[in-house]
Amino acid sequence: DAWRRDGAIRAERLCLSVTLNRERLHERISLRVDAMLAAGLADEAHGLLQRYGADAPGLQSIGYAEWTVPGTTEAEIREEIIQHTRQYAKRQETWFRKRPGIPAEDLGQPHTAATLIKRVETFLDG
């Protein structure tokens, strides 16, 4: 098989890392959590918890795990999801920073998104 060599899958890849100033990142995280709540996250989480139980692996993830604590209000859950997402974003930034050859592109700069889209298009056109 052309895609396998020594048991490993060979594939072309493009690695990109993006960054955003902390204040703007936190703002976007909060907006995203609010959008998820408005789209019915509470009902979805409760339904999944009833169907699969709190120990289900998928319900350990951010956005679902926070609903497993009895007596917690939706406002408290919202804050927990925001905090956990911020912590996760920080871990991602640290992980990418430690990877050589993957410079972080600042999404706060005017043309960064367009430049990254062009890089992906060029890669896909390969």
Side-chain angles (χ1 to χ4, degrees), residues 90-119:
K90 186 171 171 119
R91 287 192 304 273
Q92 288 177 319
E93 289 173 344
T94 300
W95 189 90
F96 272 106
R97 234 187 348 265
K98 291 181 179 182
R99 298 296 168 273
I102 308 175
E105 305 285 348
D106 185 358
L107 286 178
Q109 298 301 313
H111 302 290
T112 300
T115 300
L116 291 174
I117 289 169
K118 183 65 178 165
R119 284 178 59 193

Short mmCIF file of all heavy atoms in Angstrom, two decimals, residues 90-119:
data_model
loop_
_atom_site.label_atom_id
_atom_site.label_comp_id
_atom_site.label_asym_id
_atom_site.label_seq_id
_atom_site.Cartn_x
_atom_site.Cartn_y
_atom_site.Cartn_z
N LYS A 90 -4.96 27.84 26.72
CA LYS A 90 -3.60 28.12 27.19
C LYS A 90 -2.70 26.88 27.01
O LYS A 90 -1.54 27.00 26.60
CB LYS A 90 -3.62 28.57 28.64
CG LYS A 90 -2.27 29.00 29.14
CD LYS A 90 -2.37 29.64 30.51
CE LYS A 90 -0.99 29.85 31.03
NZ LYS A 90 -0.61 31.16 31.29
N ARG A 91 -3.24 25.70 27.32
CA ARG A 91 -2.47 24.47 27.11
C ARG A 91 -2.14 24.26 25.63
O ARG A 91 -1.04 23.83 25.28
CB ARG A 91 -3.22 23.25 27.66
CG ARG A 91 -3.25 23.18 29.18
CD ARG A 91 -3.73 21.84 29.70
NE ARG A 91 -5.03 21.43 29.23
CZ ARG A 91 -6.20 21.75 29.80
NH1 ARG A 91 -6.21 22.52 30.89
NH2 ARG A 91 -7.33 21.30 29.30
N GLN A 92 -3.09 24.58 24.76
CA GLN A 92 -2.85 24.46 23.33
C GLN A 92 -1.74 25.41 22.89
O GLN A 92 -0.85 25.03 22.12
CB GLN A 92 -4.12 24.76 22.53
CG GLN A 92 -5.15 23.68 22.62
CD GLN A 92 -6.42 24.06 21.87
OE1 GLN A 92 -6.87 25.20 21.93
NE2 GLN A 92 -6.97 23.11 21.15
N GLU A 93 -1.80 26.65 23.37
CA GLU A 93 -0.76 27.63 23.01
C GLU A 93 0.61 27.13 23.46
O GLU A 93 1.58 27.23 22.71
CB GLU A 93 -1.06 28.98 23.65
CG GLU A 93 -2.23 29.70 23.04
CD GLU A 93 -2.60 30.96 23.80
OE1 GLU A 93 -2.16 31.14 24.97
OE2 GLU A 93 -3.34 31.78 23.24
N THR A 94 0.69 26.59 24.66
CA THR A 94 1.96 26.08 25.18
C THR A 94 2.44 24.92 24.33
O THR A 94 3.63 24.85 23.97
CB THR A 94 1.78 25.62 26.65
OG1 THR A 94 1.38 26.74 27.43
CG2 THR A 94 3.08 25.04 27.20
N TRP A 95 1.56 24.01 23.95
CA TRP A 95 1.93 22.86 23.14
C TRP A 95 2.51 23.32 21.81
O TRP A 95 3.56 22.85 21.39
CB TRP A 95 0.71 21.96 22.93
CG TRP A 95 1.04 20.65 22.28
CD1 TRP A 95 1.38 19.50 22.91
CD2 TRP A 95 1.05 20.37 20.88
NE1 TRP A 95 1.62 18.51 21.99
CE2 TRP A 95 1.42 19.02 20.73
CE3 TRP A 95 0.80 21.12 19.74
CZ2 TRP A 95 1.52 18.40 19.49
CZ3 TRP A 95 0.90 20.51 18.50
CH2 TRP A 95 1.26 19.17 18.38
N PHE A 96 1.83 24.25 21.15
CA PHE A 96 2.31 24.73 19.85
C PHE A 96 3.62 25.50 19.97
O PHE A 96 4.49 25.41 19.11
CB PHE A 96 1.26 25.59 19.15
CG PHE A 96 0.31 24.78 18.32
CD1 PHE A 96 -0.99 24.56 18.74
CD2 PHE A 96 0.71 24.23 17.11
CE1 PHE A 96 -1.86 23.81 17.98
CE2 PHE A 96 -0.15 23.48 16.33
CZ PHE A 96 -1.45 23.26 16.77
N ARG A 97 3.76 26.26 21.04
CA ARG A 97 5.00 27.03 21.24
C ARG A 97 6.21 26.12 21.32
O ARG A 97 7.31 26.50 20.92
CB ARG A 97 4.88 27.88 22.51
CG ARG A 97 5.15 29.33 22.30
CD ARG A 97 5.20 30.18 23.56
NE ARG A 97 4.75 29.61 24.80
CZ ARG A 97 3.51 29.76 25.30
NH1 ARG A 97 2.61 30.43 24.65
NH2 ARG A 97 3.20 29.23 26.46
N LYS A 98 6.01 24.93 21.84
CA LYS A 98 7.13 23.99 22.02
C LYS A 98 7.46 23.22 20.74
O LYS A 98 8.43 22.48 20.71
CB LYS A 98 6.80 23.01 23.14
CG LYS A 98 6.77 23.66 24.51
CD LYS A 98 6.47 22.65 25.58
CE LYS A 98 6.48 23.31 26.94
NZ LYS A 98 6.24 22.34 28.02
N ARG A 99 6.65 23.39 19.70
CA ARG A 99 6.88 22.68 18.44
C ARG A 99 7.76 23.52 17.53
O ARG A 99 7.38 24.62 17.14
CB ARG A 99 5.56 22.36 17.72
CG ARG A 99 4.63 21.45 18.49
CD ARG A 99 5.25 20.09 18.69
NE ARG A 99 4.60 19.24 19.63
CZ ARG A 99 4.80 19.20 20.95
NH1 ARG A 99 5.59 20.04 21.53
NH2 ARG A 99 4.20 18.33 21.71
N PRO A 100 8.95 23.01 17.18
CA PRO A 100 9.83 23.77 16.28
C PRO A 100 9.25 23.82 14.87
O PRO A 100 8.59 22.89 14.43
CB PRO A 100 11.14 22.97 16.30
CG PRO A 100 10.74 21.59 16.69
CD PRO A 100 9.52 21.73 17.57
N GLY A 101 9.48 24.92 14.21
CA GLY A 101 9.08 25.05 12.82
C GLY A 101 7.62 25.37 12.59
O GLY A 101 7.16 25.35 11.46
N ILE A 102 6.86 25.64 13.64
CA ILE A 102 5.46 26.01 13.48
C ILE A 102 5.26 27.38 14.14
O ILE A 102 4.84 27.48 15.28
CB ILE A 102 4.50 24.98 14.12
CG1 ILE A 102 4.80 23.57 13.65
CG2 ILE A 102 3.05 25.34 13.81
CD1 ILE A 102 3.99 22.49 14.32
N PRO A 103 5.59 28.44 13.42
CA PRO A 103 5.44 29.77 14.02
C PRO A 103 3.96 30.13 14.20
O PRO A 103 3.13 29.76 13.38
CB PRO A 103 6.11 30.69 13.01
CG PRO A 103 6.01 29.96 11.71
CD PRO A 103 6.06 28.49 12.05
N ALA A 104 3.66 30.81 15.27
CA ALA A 104 2.29 31.24 15.53
C ALA A 104 1.97 32.46 14.69
O ALA A 104 2.74 33.42 14.65
CB ALA A 104 2.12 31.55 17.01
N GLU A 105 0.84 32.40 14.03
CA GLU A 105 0.36 33.52 13.23
C GLU A 105 -0.65 34.30 14.06
O GLU A 105 -1.58 33.72 14.62
CB GLU A 105 -0.31 33.00 11.94
CG GLU A 105 0.57 32.10 11.11
CD GLU A 105 1.65 32.85 10.34
OE1 GLU A 105 1.59 34.09 10.26
OE2 GLU A 105 2.56 32.18 9.83
N ASP A 106 -0.48 35.61 14.13
CA ASP A 106 -1.33 36.46 14.96
C ASP A 106 -2.61 36.82 14.23
O ASP A 106 -2.60 37.60 13.28
CB ASP A 106 -0.56 37.72 15.35
CG ASP A 106 -1.33 38.61 16.30
OD1 ASP A 106 -2.49 38.29 16.65
OD2 ASP A 106 -0.76 39.65 16.70
N LEU A 107 -3.74 36.27 14.68
CA LEU A 107 -5.02 36.57 14.05
C LEU A 107 -5.49 38.00 14.30
O LEU A 107 -6.45 38.44 13.68
CB LEU A 107 -6.09 35.59 14.54
CG LEU A 107 -6.00 34.18 13.98
CD1 LEU A 107 -7.08 33.29 14.58
CD2 LEU A 107 -6.09 34.18 12.47
N GLY A 108 -4.81 38.70 15.18
CA GLY A 108 -5.14 40.10 15.42
C GLY A 108 -4.63 41.02 14.33
O GLY A 108 -5.03 42.19 14.26
N GLN A 109 -3.77 40.52 13.47
CA GLN A 109 -3.23 41.33 12.38
C GLN A 109 -4.21 41.30 11.21
O GLN A 109 -4.87 40.29 10.96
CB GLN A 109 -1.85 40.81 11.96
CG GLN A 109 -0.81 40.89 13.05
CD GLN A 109 -0.61 42.32 13.53
OE1 GLN A 109 -0.47 43.24 12.74
NE2 GLN A 109 -0.63 42.50 14.84
N PRO A 110 -4.29 42.39 10.45
CA PRO A 110 -5.33 42.53 9.43
C PRO A 110 -5.38 41.46 8.34
O PRO A 110 -6.45 41.06 7.93
CB PRO A 110 -5.06 43.90 8.80
CG PRO A 110 -4.00 44.54 9.60
CD PRO A 110 -3.44 43.55 10.55
N HIS A 111 -4.26 40.99 7.87
CA HIS A 111 -4.28 40.09 6.72
C HIS A 111 -3.92 38.65 7.06
O HIS A 111 -3.75 37.83 6.15
CB HIS A 111 -3.35 40.63 5.62
CG HIS A 111 -3.72 42.00 5.18
ND1 HIS A 111 -4.86 42.25 4.44
CD2 HIS A 111 -3.14 43.20 5.39
CE1 HIS A 111 -4.95 43.54 4.21
NE2 HIS A 111 -3.93 44.15 4.78
N THR A 112 -3.81 38.33 8.33
CA THR A 112 -3.39 36.99 8.72
C THR A 112 -4.35 35.91 8.23
O THR A 112 -3.92 34.91 7.66
CB THR A 112 -3.20 36.88 10.24
OG1 THR A 112 -2.21 37.82 10.65
CG2 THR A 112 -2.78 35.49 10.66
N ALA A 113 -5.64 36.11 8.44
CA ALA A 113 -6.61 35.09 8.04
C ALA A 113 -6.53 34.83 6.54
O ALA A 113 -6.49 33.67 6.11
CB ALA A 113 -8.02 35.50 8.45
N ALA A 114 -6.47 35.89 5.75
CA ALA A 114 -6.40 35.72 4.29
C ALA A 114 -5.11 35.01 3.89
O ALA A 114 -5.12 34.15 2.99
CB ALA A 114 -6.50 37.08 3.60
N THR A 115 -4.01 35.34 4.55
CA THR A 115 -2.73 34.69 4.25
C THR A 115 -2.79 33.20 4.59
O THR A 115 -2.31 32.37 3.81
CB THR A 115 -1.59 35.37 5.05
OG1 THR A 115 -1.54 36.74 4.67
CG2 THR A 115 -0.26 34.71 4.80
N LEU A 116 -3.39 32.86 5.71
CA LEU A 116 -3.50 31.46 6.10
C LEU A 116 -4.42 30.69 5.15
O LEU A 116 -4.13 29.54 4.79
CB LEU A 116 -4.00 31.34 7.54
CG LEU A 116 -3.01 31.81 8.61
CD1 LEU A 116 -3.67 31.78 9.98
CD2 LEU A 116 -1.75 30.97 8.61
N ILE A 117 -5.50 31.30 4.74
CA ILE A 117 -6.40 30.66 3.78
C ILE A 117 -5.66 30.38 2.49
O ILE A 117 -5.78 29.29 1.91
CB ILE A 117 -7.66 31.52 3.55
CG1 ILE A 117 -8.54 31.50 4.80
CG2 ILE A 117 -8.43 31.05 2.32
CD1 ILE A 117 -9.67 32.51 4.80
N LYS A 118 -4.86 31.33 2.03
CA LYS A 118 -4.08 31.15 0.81
C LYS A 118 -3.09 30.00 0.98
O LYS A 118 -2.92 29.19 0.06
CB LYS A 118 -3.37 32.45 0.44
CG LYS A 118 -2.60 32.37 -0.84
CD LYS A 118 -3.55 32.16 -2.01
CE LYS A 118 -2.78 32.13 -3.32
NZ LYS A 118 -3.58 31.59 -4.40
N ARG A 119 -2.43 29.90 2.14
CA ARG A 119 -1.49 28.80 2.39
C ARG A 119 -2.19 27.45 2.33
O ARG A 119 -1.67 26.49 1.77
CB ARG A 119 -0.80 28.99 3.73
CG ARG A 119 0.28 30.06 3.70
CD ARG A 119 0.94 30.30 5.02
NE ARG A 119 1.57 29.10 5.56
CZ ARG A 119 2.00 29.00 6.82
NH1 ARG A 119 1.87 30.02 7.65
NH2 ARG A 119 2.57 27.91 7.25
#
